[in-house]
Amino acid sequence: MAPPRGFAAYKKKDGILALSRDSQSVSWTPAAPPGSQPTVTLSVKSITNLQQTPASSPKVMLKVFAQTPGVPAPEAHVFSFTSTSQARAEADAIKDALSRAIQTDSLAPAAHGGVSSSAAMAIASAVSSTLGAGRDTSTLYDDDQLKSNVELQQSLLKANPSLSKTFMESLRTKPDSISNFQFTSQFWSSRAHLLRAHAIERSQTRGAYNVLSTIKPRTEENTIKLSISKDQIQLIFSQHELVKRAYDENVPKLSEEVFWSRFFQSRLFKKLKGEKILEADSSDAVLDKYLALDEDLERSRRILAAHIPHIIDVEGNEQNHSQRKGNQPDFSMRPTSVDRVPIIRTLNSLSEKIMSHVAPNDIDPSEPIGMDEETFNSLALRDLQADAEENRIILNIKGQGRFFSNDKADDTSADTLLYSQQDPHEVLKSIRMDLASKGPEVDLASAIGVDDYSSDSDSGEPHPSHVGSKASLRGATTRLYDAIAQQRAQNEDLSPNGLSSAASTCDLSSTIFDRLSLTHATTTEFLHHFWVAFLSGDPLRAEEIARLVETLDRAMDRIRAVADDAEAERLKEVEKLKKQVRDHYERTHKKLSFHPDSVKGGAEVVNQLMGPTVTAIGVALRKYKEALVQEDDIQ
C-alpha cells in the first residue's frame, strides 16, 4: 500500500506533503521547480503534537509540532491542503497515518520498560486538539514541562501559603550535598498534580457578564464617586451599541470623566439596566436624545430577516388571526410594549448577546468532528455501553457459602449462639417463677437490677454487670460520646490556609500547632528524599544518603523541641489555673476542685500526633544502619 500524500502549501508555496514508506518521517517537497528535493523533513520521533482544523472549517490545515534537539520550545509547521475535491480526505489520511506511527513508536520503548511521554502526548493532542483552540495545551498534561516551568511553580507558591512555607523550610534545612536544582526537581516531582491543576485554573478566563448591574455609584461626603476599569468600559461598548454611539458623538466634546459621570446618573443608564424611568429622575440634554433610539438596531434587522414560526410569533398572530372579537387571549399571549416590563426584555436581549459569543453545541452528537470514524470509535466510552451477552457455561456449586466464610462456622454473634441453645419453655418458666417470688406488686426496674436512687460506689462490693445496670448505661454513654467525637474529628473542616482551625488544633495553641504542621511537612519531604536516594542503589549517592540521615536526626530534634515548648506552654496554663484557685480560696475560703491532668495538650499530644512520623524516621535509620553493617561485612 502506497504511503498517504496530498497537495499542500507551506509558507504560501505549493508542494506535496507525503509520509515515507517506513512511516518514520514526513516530508514536504515544493512543486517548483520540478524534481526538487524535500525542503522540510520531520521524523516521527521529533513530533510532539498534531492539530487539525475541524470539519466545519472551510480551510483544511494540519499543524505539526516538532522538537529540535537543543531548542527549548517545539517548532510549529502549518500545511494548507490545496486540493479542490480531496483536501479533507488527504489531510485525514496523513494525520491518521502519523498518529499510528507515533503510537507505534511510543509502544516500542514501553515494551522495554521505558516511557515516551512526548509521543503519548502527541496521540492525545492529535485527537482532541484543533487549530481553533488558540494555544498549545500540552503543558497542562506533560509532567516534564510542568516541573521545568519555574514561573508556574512560583505562581502556585504565591497562591498556596501552606505549600510555600513547606518549600521554604525544606529548602532552608536541606543537606548541603543536595543542590537547589536536585531539591526543586524532587520536590515538584511528587506535586505535579498540583501544578497541573493550577495551570488549568490559570488558563480559564471569565466570560462576559451583565456589566451595568455590577457598577454602582457610591456617595462619600455628599459626593458621588464611581470606580470603573478599562475592561468594564470595553464590555459596555460590546454589549450596548447605543453607549458606544453616544461616546463617539460626544467625546472629546465632553471629557471622559464628565461623560461617564453624566451617563451613570442619566435616564439612559436606567433604561439600559431595565429599570423604569420616573418623572423625578434627572434629565440630561445630551443623553436623553438617545432614549428614543433602538438600543440594538442590528438585532431588530436580524429578527425581521429571520423566519419565525407563527406559533411563537405573537405579533404575527395579531396580524393573521386577530382576536379583537370575543374573549381576550391570556396575558402571556398579548404583545406588550417595552415600557411595560423593561427588565425582562432587557435581560433577555442581553442574555442573547452574551450567548451569541459562546461556541454552539447544538450539533449532531453522532457525527464525529475533527477525526475519522475509526478514531471516534476507539475513543468511545466502553463503560457506558450495554454489557455484551455472555456466552459461557454456568458452573453450579452447592454450598458456596463455605468458600466465603471466615474461621468461624458462620457469622452469627455470641449472643445469638447462646440464645439458640436455650429452651423457650424453660426461659418462660424461669421468668414466671421470678415474678411470682416478688409478690403481687412487682417493680420491673428493681427486678432487672436498675436502681436510680442508689450508686454503684455506695458500697465496696462490686455489682454484677448486666443489661440495665448503671455500669452498663455509663459504658454505653461513654462509647457513644467517643464515637461522636471521633466522627467529628474526621469531618473537621480545614481553614483556607491549609492548616486546621482553632477548633481542631488538638488542645494546642495555634502557634505550636502551626510549628508542628510545618515540622511534619518538612520531615515528610526529607523522608521522601531519603527513600528515593536509598532505594536507587547508586553508590555515588552514599554521601548524599549520609547527609539525609543527619537531616532526619535534626528532624527528631525539631520534633522534641516542639514537644518541649508545648509542655512548657501547658505547665504555664496549669500554673495560671492554680493561681486562680488560690486567689478564689483567699477571697471566699472555699476550695475549688482542680487537677493538673484536666489541662490537655503538651508533649503528650505532640508525641501522639507525630507518632507515625517518628516511627517512619526510626525505620529509615534502622534500614540505613543495617545497610552499613552489611557493607562492612562484605568488605
Side-chain angles (χ1 to χ4, degrees):
M1 181 178 179
R5 55 184 298 169
F7 296 96
Y10 179 70
K11 295 183 178 181
K12 299 182 179 180
K13 294 182 180 181
D14 294 335
I16 298 176
L17 183 66
L19 193 67
S20 61
R21 292 187 176 276
D22 57 357
S23 300
Q24 294 300 314
S25 64
V26 60
S27 60
W28 179 84
T29 305
S36 301
Q37 296 296 324
T39 58
V40 178
T41 303
L42 305 175
S43 64
V44 172
K45 294 182 179 180
S46 65
I47 296 177
T48 60
N49 194 6
L50 291 176
Q51 292 181 351
Q52 186 183 6
T53 53
S56 58
S57 177
K59 295 183 179 180
V60 182
M61 293 184 291
L62 181 64
K63 194 174 185 179
V64 182
F65 292 86
Q67 182 71 47
T68 304
V71 179
E75 183 180 0
H77 303 271
V78 180
F79 302 96
S80 301
F81 290 84
T82 58
S83 176
T84 57
S85 59
Q86 301 293 329
R88 177 63 61 181
E90 292 174 354
D92 291 341
I94 294 177
K95 190 204 69 172
D96 296 339
L98 280 176
S99 299
R100 288 191 296 269
I102 294 172
Q103 185 176 13
T104 304
D105 185 70
S106 63
L107 294 177
H112 298 83
V115 177
S116 178
S117 59
S118 61
M121 278 305 306
I123 289 295
S125 301
V127 174
S128 61
S129 300
T130 60
L131 288 177
R135 57 188 175 84
D136 184 14
T137 58
S138 61
T139 56
L140 304 182
Y141 308 102
D142 190 4
D143 290 351
D144 295 335
Q145 296 191 30
L146 289 173
K147 288 184 289 186
S148 61
N149 193 338
V150 180
E151 189 269 336
L152 179 64
Q153 297 168 7
Q154 293 177 352
S155 176
L156 177 58
L157 292 177
K158 291 179 181 179
N160 194 333
S162 175
L163 184 64
S164 178
K165 289 182 180 179
T166 303
F167 178 81
M168 298 306 297
E169 183 66 18
S170 302
L171 183 63
R172 185 181 63 84
T173 57
K174 72 174 182 65
D176 296 336
S177 59
I178 301 178
S179 63
N180 291 338
F181 177 77
Q182 292 175 340
F183 171 78
T184 54
S185 299
Q186 188 64 38
F187 182 86
W188 292 114
S189 63
S190 59
R191 294 170 175 84
H193 61 289
L194 298 178
L195 291 172
R196 184 177 297 106
H198 186 65
I200 295 175
E201 181 182 358
R202 292 205 315 170
S203 65
Q204 296 175 345
T205 57
R206 183 179 182 180
Y209 59 96
N210 188 359
V211 63
L212 290 182
S213 63
T214 62
I215 300 176
K216 298 179 180 179
R218 63 184 186 277
T219 304
E220 295 181 2
E221 299 179 356
N222 297 326
T223 304
I224 298 178
K225 294 185 177 182
L226 179 70
S227 298
I228 185 172
S229 62
K230 293 182 179 180
D231 295 337
Q232 289 176 325
I233 293 176
Q234 295 297 329
L235 274 177
I236 293 175
F237 288 161
S238 63
Q239 294 177 6
H240 303 281
E241 295 289 338
L242 198 57
V243 180
K244 185 178 181 180
R245 176 180 174 182
Y247 178 86
D248 293 338
E249 294 179 356
N250 295 279
V251 177
K253 297 178 183 178
L254 300 175
S255 63
E256 288 200 11
E257 295 181 357
V258 174
F259 174 81
W260 291 115
S261 176
R262 296 174 64 171
F263 170 73
F264 288 111
Q265 301 180 51
S266 65
R267 297 185 177 186
L268 181 61
F269 175 63
K270 295 190 65 176
K271 175 188 175 182
L272 296 180
K273 286 183 64 178
E275 299 178 358
K276 281 191 175 183
I277 300 176
L278 306 177
E279 294 294 336
D281 294 335
S282 60
S283 60
D284 190 296
V286 176
L287 298 177
D288 285 353
K289 63 182 180 181
Y290 298 98
L291 291 174
L293 300 179
D294 191 355
E295 199 272 331
D296 196 353
L297 296 176
E298 182 182 355
R299 176 176 176 271
S300 300
R301 289 193 298 267
R302 188 172 64 252
I303 291 177
L304 292 176
H307 172 69
I308 302 177
H310 293 302
I311 193 172
I312 62 174
D313 187 3
V314 181
E315 296 180 356
N317 289 340
E318 183 65 21
Q319 297 175 2
N320 297 296
H321 182 64
S322 177
Q323 296 185 12
R324 292 191 179 95
K325 297 180 180 180
N327 297 331
Q328 285 188 342
D330 186 71
F331 173 76
S332 60
M333 297 300 295
R334 302 178 204 167
T336 57
S337 62
V338 180
D339 297 334
R340 293 289 300 273
V341 278
I343 184 65
I344 296 178
R345 293 181 179 270
T346 301
L347 293 179
N348 288 342
S349 175
L350 184 60
S351 300
E352 183 179 354
K353 292 179 184 178
I354 294 175
M355 293 302 297
S356 63
H357 298 286
V358 179
N361 59 354
D362 54 346
I363 55 178
D364 188 359
S366 62
E367 295 181 0
I369 297 178
M371 65 186 78
D372 60 293
E373 192 72 25
E374 182 181 357
T375 306
F376 177 80
N377 293 332
S378 64
L379 295 177
L381 298 179
R382 302 286 186 249
D383 54 344
L384 297 182
Q385 299 179 2
D387 296 336
E389 184 178 357
E390 296 182 356
N391 185 12
R392 58 188 176 86
I393 300 175
I394 300 178
L395 180 62
N396 296 319
I397 302 178
K398 296 182 179 180
Q400 299 183 24
R402 67 177 183 272
F403 295 106
F404 308 102
S405 60
N406 50 17
D407 296 338
K408 297 181 180 180
D410 50 16
D411 295 336
T412 55
S413 61
D415 293 338
T416 304
L417 293 175
L418 179 61
Y419 296 150
S420 63
Q421 297 175 0
Q422 296 181 358
D423 186 4
H425 297 285
E426 296 295 333
V427 174
L428 292 175
K429 182 179 178 181
S430 175
I431 293 175
R432 293 193 188 97
M433 293 177 61
D434 290 341
L435 294 177
S437 63
K438 300 295 182 179
E441 297 181 359
V442 180
D443 187 2
L444 292 178
S446 59
I448 63 176
V450 177
D451 189 0
D452 295 335
Y453 302 98
S454 64
S455 175
D456 293 342
S457 60
D458 292 342
S459 61
E461 298 179 359
H463 295 273
S465 178
H466 55 83
V467 177
S469 64
K470 284 194 171 184
S472 299
L473 294 178
R474 281 198 300 269
T477 303
T478 302
R479 289 191 295 271
L480 181 61
Y481 285 156
D482 291 342
I484 293 175
Q486 184 178 5
Q487 187 69 20
R488 181 180 298 174
Q490 293 177 356
N491 297 335
E492 193 71 40
D493 292 335
L494 296 179
S495 59
N497 60 355
L499 301 178
S500 296
S501 60
S504 61
T505 55
C506 302
D507 300 313
L508 298 174
S509 65
S510 58
T511 304
I512 295 296
F513 191 81
D514 290 346
R515 285 181 54 193
L516 185 62
S517 301
L518 188 59
T519 303
H520 174 267
T522 55
T523 304
T524 304
E525 188 67 27
F526 288 127
L527 277 171
H528 183 70
H529 281 272
F530 169 81
W531 286 113
V532 169
F534 184 77
L535 298 177
S536 65
D538 188 0
L540 300 178
R541 305 183 68 176
E543 183 179 356
E544 178 185 349
I545 297 174
R547 295 293 182 89
L548 286 171
V549 170
E550 296 177 0
T551 304
L552 294 179
D553 290 334
R554 290 196 296 269
M556 289 292 299
D557 296 338
R558 287 192 291 270
I559 295 174
R560 285 190 287 267
V562 175
D564 295 340
D565 294 343
E567 186 64 23
E569 191 177 71
R570 192 189 77 86
L571 294 177
K572 185 178 180 180
E573 183 67 20
V574 170
E575 293 297 329
K576 179 181 178 181
L577 295 177
K578 285 183 178 180
K579 185 176 182 302
Q580 293 179 0
V581 171
R582 288 194 299 267
D583 294 342
H584 183 271
Y585 178 76
E586 293 176 357
R587 291 194 308 268
T588 61
H589 297 284
K590 294 181 179 180
K591 290 185 177 181
L592 294 177
S593 59
F594 172 73
H595 198 277
D597 295 338
S598 62
V599 180
K600 304 298 182 180
E604 181 180 357
V605 174
V606 173
N607 294 330
Q608 182 179 2
L609 293 175
M610 297 298 292
T613 303
V614 173
T615 303
I617 294 176
V619 171
L621 297 179
R622 186 177 69 253
K623 292 292 184 181
Y624 176 72
K625 293 178 180 178
E626 291 177 356
L628 287 180
V629 172
Q630 293 179 0
E631 184 178 358
D632 294 339
D633 294 342
I634 294 175
Q635 294 178 355

